Amino acid sequence: MWFIVFGAILTFTVLYFQRRQNLERKKLNREIEDLKKKWEVATQNLRIEEGELETVMSAISDAILAIDKEGRPIFFNSKFELVFGQGRLPRFLRVQEIFGDPKILEAFELALREGKSSSNHSFKFKSELGDERYFNLSVSPLSRSGLVIYGALGNFHDVTELKTAEQMRIDFVANVSHELRTPLTSIKGYTETLLDDFQKDPLSLKEPSTQEFLGKISRNADRLMNLVGDLLDLSSIESNEVFYKEWVSTEIIMTRVCRSMEEKFKTKKQILTWNCNQKEVLADPNRLEQVLVNLIDNAHKYTPEGGHISVSWEREDQEVVLKIKDTGVGISVEHHSRLFERFYRVDKARSREQGGTGLGLSIVKHILQKHEGSVSVESALQKGSTFICRFPTPLIKS
Ligand SMILES: Nc1ncnc2c1ncn2[C@@H]1O[C@H](COP(=O)(O)OP(=O)(O)OP(=O)(O)O)[C@@H](O)[C@H]1O
Ligand SMILES: [Mg+2]
């Protein structure tokens, strides 16, 4: 009997423990499932955050590099890779292998070893293709809870455009000062001579040289006036001057411009012809006149006596094309790309002798840009030149 009771108790105990074990296993499985879900959510969130960080970093125009204590990249954005790695920067490279400039390495060292931020380290970087860019570097330490430094973050701000603009400004001021000084020195010199002569002998003003000196003073004053006028024009066109475009008759504007220049052409026995196959152009009439005067005046100045200057107006699809062609001295190809820069002159002496300041073509370029058009040149030395202006003009008047 006791044997049966013992058996029942044993069976009951085994069943009890089996059931408990099953329950615990199920609980454990549930907990594992829960943990798995939490892990998946956490990884997904991390991936989203990583993606967001990457998007933010690639949207930043600066190049960003984060390194660990050994100088190995933890992270760099696409701009950094593009500029400093030509788009194929291996992640195992250390900062010392990317940059040779000790200034850059010292800035990172300072952040890594002493936890100090530093900024405005300027340096020049030459790419494998040979183009040079300028950067300002700021470096900050990366730390956990503000205590343990585990790396450094470098922010490379590209200042190449700023540098170029600054250089252009410096060159411009130097050029303007030089151009102003030459006629001013002449005016001052001749005026002082005349004053001296007058003080010594008031009757000396009747000498023929007086007239010659006064003529020189007047010509130099004209040069100054032209220069100041051109400078004012340039700054007005470049600033926010509004252009009022309207349908301009090419025949009427050509007649007006050519009439005002007739005398000049006669003195050099030059022939000026034009044809207006295209009758109208959409442009600001005053600025268009300035384009014509500048280009026709150049053609006149840089074409010897007896030369021929022809102007044509044609349509090419959505553009009206103005061509000014001369049989003059021509311009060799190496000058073509710089011709439209301010103060650029192929032959400074010849241009100055003609009273030129080197701003005419720059004004033409800016006027065309404001019309969303373009100006170009076709020319070769001793072969004459053709300046081509394109004005966007719809086929149908609106
Ligand atoms: N038709 C042309 N034939 C040959 N050279 C030209 C012609 N037009 C311009 N150039 C060259 O381009 C340079 C720049 O022309 P631009 O009109 O800007 O200046 P400029 O004529 O010297 O002076 P200005 O500002 O008084 O017009 C000239 O100095 C000249 O060397
Ligand atoms: Mg000119």
Side-chain angles (χ1 to χ4, degrees):
M1 179 67 188
W2 67 267
F3 191 76
I4 295 169
V5 172
F6 178 74
I9 291 171
L10 191 69
T11 313
F12 179 77
T13 314
V14 168
L15 282 174
Y16 172 77
F17 277 107
Q18 262 181 357
R19 191 176 141 72
R20 235 184 105 170
Q21 221 175 8
N22 275 345
L23 282 174
E24 270 174 13
R25 197 174 294 137
K26 274 187 189 158
K27 200 176 153 205
L28 199 69
N29 277 345
R30 265 203 309 276
E31 276 170 8
I32 289 173
E33 274 308 305
D34 273 2
L35 268 176
K36 241 168 95 181
K37 271 187 197 141
K38 277 186 190 153
W39 170 255
E40 271 168 15
V41 171
T43 334
Q44 206 175 355
N45 283 345
L46 204 66
R47 254 190 234 125
I48 292 171
E49 274 172 24
E50 253 180 33
E52 279 173 358
L53 184 70
E54 200 136 342
T55 314
V56 170
M57 286 298 180
S58 55
I60 294 175
S61 57
D62 289 350
I64 308 278
L65 168 71
I67 56 165
D68 64 13
K69 289 204 99 167
E70 271 68 53
R72 277 185 298 263
I74 303 171
F75 175 85
F76 48 77
N77 67 354
S78 47
K79 175 78 187 234
F80 183 89
E81 189 170 19
L82 187 75
V83 178
F84 298 110
Q86 269 87 45
R88 50 184 168 81
L89 195 68
R91 286 195 175 254
F92 55 79
L93 266 188
R94 295 178 352 134
V95 70
Q96 297 88 325
E97 291 157 309
I98 306 172
F99 299 106
D101 190 332
K103 257 193 289 176
I104 303 174
L105 304 179
E106 270 165 33
F108 277 103
E109 271 295 296
L110 195 73
L112 289 173
R113 307 287 163 240
E114 296 176 36
K116 285 187 182 154
S117 299
S118 59
S119 56
N120 286 332
H121 304 282
S122 45
F123 70 95
K124 186 165 77 177
F125 185 81
K126 202 169 176 177
S127 78
E128 273 175 13
L129 298 171
D131 55 325
E132 288 178 347
R133 297 202 74 79
Y134 294 84
F135 292 89
N136 262 357
L137 167 66
S138 311
V139 184
S140 320
L142 291 170
S143 61
R144 274 186 202 97
S145 334
L147 294 169
V148 187
I149 296 166
Y150 66 89
L153 183 88
N155 185 355
F156 300 78
H157 183 55
D158 193 336
V159 289
T160 315
E161 264 77 50
L162 267 178
K163 273 229 170 227
T164 318
E166 176 64 5
Q167 194 53 48
M168 274 170 75
R169 192 190 63 77
I170 293 168
D171 291 349
F172 183 68
V173 172
N175 276 323
V176 171
S177 316
H178 180 74
E179 294 298 330
L180 287 173
R181 183 180 290 159
T182 317
L184 274 175
T185 313
S186 265
I187 292 174
K188 193 167 160 48
Y190 289 118
T191 323
E192 277 174 358
T193 313
L194 285 176
L195 271 174
D196 261 8
D197 290 354
F198 180 73
Q199 274 158 7
K200 279 182 208 145
D201 173 13
L203 291 178
S204 70
L205 285 188
K206 288 203 168 142
E207 296 286 320
S209 61
T210 305
Q211 201 179 351
E212 186 196 328
F213 288 174
L214 285 172
K216 285 186 172 160
I217 292 172
S218 168
R219 276 196 296 283
N220 278 294
D222 282 347
R223 227 179 117 186
L224 277 181
M225 294 277 287
N226 287 341
L227 175 63
V228 172
D230 280 355
L231 284 172
L232 287 174
D233 260 343
L234 248 188
S235 83
S236 165
I237 297 164
E238 272 187 317
S239 63
N240 293 329
E241 182 191 296
V242 183
F243 275 28
Y244 294 102
K245 285 195 261 180
E246 54 185 76
W247 291 93
V248 182
S249 156
T250 51
E251 294 268 9
I252 294 176
I253 201 159
M254 282 308 297
T255 314
R256 191 166 59 237
V257 169
C258 295
R259 237 182 235 147
S260 71
M261 302 177 102
E262 232 164 36
E263 280 309 305
K264 282 186 177 184
F265 281 87
K266 264 190 202 151
T267 54
K268 275 180 97 174
K269 299 188 184 72
Q270 290 168 333
I271 299 166
L272 171 66
T273 56
W274 74 87
N275 83 60
C276 298
N277 287 341
Q278 171 65 24
K279 301 287 174 222
E280 283 185 302
V281 59
L282 190 61
D284 179 303
N286 295 325
R287 293 304 182 190
L288 175 60
E289 189 164 330
Q290 203 170 3
V291 166
L292 283 167
V293 168
N294 283 2
L295 292 179
I296 298 176
D297 184 54
N298 276 353
H300 154 76
K301 278 199 294 195
Y302 305 108
T303 298
E305 277 204 9
H308 181 202
I309 288 108
S310 57
V311 183
S312 69
W313 290 91
E314 304 284 343
R315 174 173 276 286
E316 278 179 21
D317 300 324
Q318 297 288 331
E319 289 177 332
V320 168
V321 184
L322 161 69
K323 287 188 184 169
I324 289 120
K325 189 172 184 313
D326 64 52
T327 55
V329 295
I331 308 156
S332 57
V333 181
E334 73 258 29
H335 297 288
H336 290 193
S337 61
R338 300 201 56 196
L339 213 56
F340 298 91
E341 284 175 21
R342 297 180 181 105
F343 296 111
Y344 190 80
R345 284 162 295 191
V346 175
D347 180 344
K348 274 199 189 242
R350 187 207 298 252
S351 166
R352 219 178 253 136
E353 178 193 297
Q354 308 269 5
T357 57
L359 289 173
L361 286 181
S362 172
I363 292 174
V364 169
K365 182 184 89 179
H366 281 95
I367 294 177
L368 263 300
Q369 274 176 357
K370 279 270 180 127
H371 281 85
E372 280 145 20
S374 63
V375 56
S376 56
V377 63
E378 283 171 5
S379 182
L381 208 57
Q382 303 306 335
K383 295 262 159 59
S385 311
T386 306
F387 283 83
I388 304 151
C389 300
R390 294 176 177 276
F391 294 87
T393 303
L395 288 158
I396 302 158
K397 283 189 192 179
S398 56

